[in-house]
Amino acid sequence: TEVRNLITTDQAWHYRVIPKEVKDGCYVLWCTEHNDALRLELEVLLGVDVVLEPVESDFLDRALATHYRRTAQQTKRVDFS
């Protein structure tokens, strides 16, 4: 499995994380804000232990735009009122 397929595009943008590697059964994710609440939420969501590694915001923004492109449909909001 490719590392980038460990999370969805929506998850990457919502949590602002990028998978770096799988190490000893843990997902190592790059992020701009390292905190325990984010780590715990990702562990519950993904069902594996998570290690967060901080990176510069510019690096993460470029990686999100390159590897987790949003389609027009993903960015559109649909209301059924």
Side-chain angles (χ1 to χ4, degrees):
T1 306
E2 284 191 43
V3 173
R4 71 176 167 200
N5 292 334
L6 297 176
I7 63 172
T8 68
T9 297
D10 288 340
Q11 291 167 337
W13 282 95
H14 178 77
Y15 294 103
R16 294 194 46 79
V17 295
I18 299 281
K20 176 185 175 188
E21 64 183 343
V22 177
K23 186 176 182 180
D24 300 325
C26 297
Y27 288 5
V28 180
L29 306 175
W30 284 320
C31 64
T32 55
E33 294 183 28
H34 175 254
N35 63 59
D36 284 335
L38 174 61
R39 181 184 56 79
L40 291 171
E41 187 169 346
L42 288 166
E43 286 180 347
V44 169
L45 178 71
L46 301 172
V48 296
D49 290 334
V50 170
V51 175
L52 297 175
E53 287 189 9
V55 294
E56 295 293 324
S57 184
D58 289 344
F59 173 83
L60 191 72
D61 289 339
R62 284 191 311 272
L64 284 169
T66 301
H67 300 294
Y68 294 93
R69 292 185 183 186
R70 290 178 164 173
T71 64
Q73 190 171 11
Q74 288 173 314
T75 57
K76 264 197 253 178
R77 184 176 167 182
V78 178
D79 289 318
F80 297 102
S81 311

